[in-house]
Amino acid sequence: MNDMRAALHDSYGPPEVLYEGRVPVPVRKPGEVLVRVHAASVNGGELYGRAGKVRVVTGRRFPQRTGLDFAGEVAEVDASVTGLRTGDRVWGILGRSSFGSAAEYVSVRPRQIAYAPENVTLTEAASLPAGGTTSLTALRDKAGLRAGERLLVRGASGGVGSVAVQLGKALGAHVTGLASVKNSDFVRELGADEVLDHRTTPLAELDRYDVIMDTVGTEHRLLRTRLAPGGRLVSIAFDIDHPVRSIGYLLGSAVHGRQRVRFFSGNPKHDLFAELTAYVERGDLRPVVDTVHPLADIAAAHRALEAGGVRGKQVIRLV
């Protein structure tokens, strides 16, 4: 086992620059775990990385890789690692700003993974690590969403929004989703108490909410006017045409509230993945997969996410 299949691109550009190629299997370093990837998902930051909009992070050396989160099974374990065995089902995310999970193998430290939920397939599970940990950190840990509060999720049918709706309900909030008409029934099925059409509902005419979770990345100044006293705006997307904000989108997110903007890390660890597993196994959170693509169709997965209107995640299946 010297080389493996992986999604690559030799230049920055549109989805068509992506292709399935071969690269060396990662060498497991001391203290690491080699994971055979069953599936990975496509996240917004990867689109910007492929397009060259965050070159200050991704650099100019090619070929480059894509993919952040993954689900698979342990292939090798360093002797110093305890609690993991060959064959264990795991999921996780590569290190901050590191791309490369759309490949047959990844080598990671134990803190980057946890046992995957037993009640879903690994292909389904791959849709949740990035969006799930982002939503849980944003809503519970940073915005401090409490039972009985009013939550607005902007982009409620997407990869992160579909998770945020479910977690908002699990945390006891009254959830309003902002989405397209064609996705309104879908968002209600996720648990939203009401759904508003984003095309016909002016942001300036929205009610006031205790927490607003924005997955779109625009109109933050206007959205902040729709906060109730003490309200918090959680932003997980930024205007990619502004370089500083672009880096923020790739590396973290922000909470707006009480005249403050606080950035938080997009680099989750084992305990958070383990909590996410518990939410899934309790039935409080279910994977939402729009389309499953073979690795050879990685460009199609990127095109679909860029086109918008998806329900949940575009997933790349390796096994």
Side-chain angles (χ1 to χ4, degrees):
M1 185 176 67
N2 297 317
D3 63 359
M4 65 178 184
R5 295 181 298 131
L8 305 170
H9 57 106
D10 295 328
S11 63
Y12 293 123
E16 288 69 29
V17 301
L18 291 166
Y19 64 95
E20 178 186 316
R22 301 199 74 87
V23 297
V25 172
V27 176
R28 178 179 50 75
K29 298 177 183 177
E32 289 189 341
V33 177
L34 186 68
V35 177
R36 184 188 184 202
V37 177
H38 282 229
S41 77
V42 180
N43 298 281
E46 295 150 47
L47 305 186
Y48 301 139
R50 182 216 72 229
K53 294 185 176 181
V54 287
R55 299 184 193 198
V56 68
V57 175
T58 56
R60 297 180 180 275
R61 296 182 63 182
F62 293 96
Q64 291 193 12
R65 306 271 297 276
T66 189
L68 284 172
D69 53 0
F70 58 89
E73 59 182 315
V74 174
E76 294 178 8
V77 186
D78 186 74
S80 65
V81 175
T82 60
L84 287 169
R85 297 178 299 175
T86 301
D88 283 345
R89 291 162 40 101
V90 295
W91 63 355
I93 297 178
L94 298 182
R96 184 189 303 176
S97 76
S98 297
F99 292 134
S101 68
E104 291 185 284
Y105 291 90
V106 295
S107 188
V108 294
R109 302 193 72 80
R111 66 171 178 263
Q112 294 171 255
I113 59 176
Y115 294 128
E118 291 290 340
N119 57 335
V120 298
T121 68
L122 288 172
T123 299
E124 293 171 326
S127 69
L128 283 172
T133 54
T134 296
S135 296
L136 193 56
T137 299
L139 292 178
R140 185 194 63 185
D141 301 336
K142 299 301 179 180
L145 181 66
R146 298 182 295 272
E149 288 194 313
R150 301 189 70 205
L151 167 66
L152 174 72
V153 179
R154 186 183 184 206
S157 66
V160 178
S162 60
V163 178
V165 168
Q166 296 180 73
L167 289 177
K169 288 303 296 182
L171 293 170
H174 180 281
V175 179
T176 298
L178 198 57
S180 65
V181 169
K182 70 175 183 178
N183 287 329
S184 59
D185 287 343
F186 164 70
V187 174
R188 287 191 181 90
E189 290 171 2
L190 293 175
D193 297 286
E194 58 181 322
V195 182
L196 304 176
D197 179 6
H198 74 90
R199 295 184 184 276
T200 61
T201 306
L203 296 182
E205 297 179 11
L206 289 170
D207 288 339
R208 294 185 182 272
Y209 297 88
D210 300 296
V211 174
I212 298 175
M213 183 154 177
D214 173 48
T215 71
V216 178
T218 60
E219 306 284 1
H220 288 166
R221 189 182 302 274
L222 179 56
L223 285 173
R224 275 184 276 183
T225 69
R226 310 325 302 158
L227 292 173
R232 292 84 71 200
L233 168 62
V234 189
S235 179
I236 61 120
F238 300 86
D239 184 349
I240 199 64
D241 293 323
H242 293 79
V244 173
R245 293 180 181 179
S246 301
I247 297 170
Y249 179 83
L250 188 62
L251 300 185
S253 305
V255 178
H256 303 255
R258 298 188 179 91
Q259 309 305 313
R260 293 181 297 170
V261 178
R262 290 177 285 129
F263 286 90
F264 62 92
S265 171
N267 196 27
K269 297 295 190 296
H270 166 82
D271 289 351
L272 194 57
F273 293 123
E275 286 187 79
L276 197 65
T277 296
Y279 272 93
V280 177
E281 293 186 338
R282 286 197 304 264
D284 291 330
L285 178 61
R286 65 177 175 89
V288 181
V289 176
D290 184 290
T291 308
V292 178
H293 306 262
L295 182 62
D297 288 345
I298 182 70
H302 275 234
R303 278 196 299 271
L305 185 55
E306 284 189 343
V310 298
R311 295 183 176 184
K313 297 299 284 288
Q314 301 292 312
V315 171
I316 307 301
R317 184 169 55 212
L318 280 300
V319 175

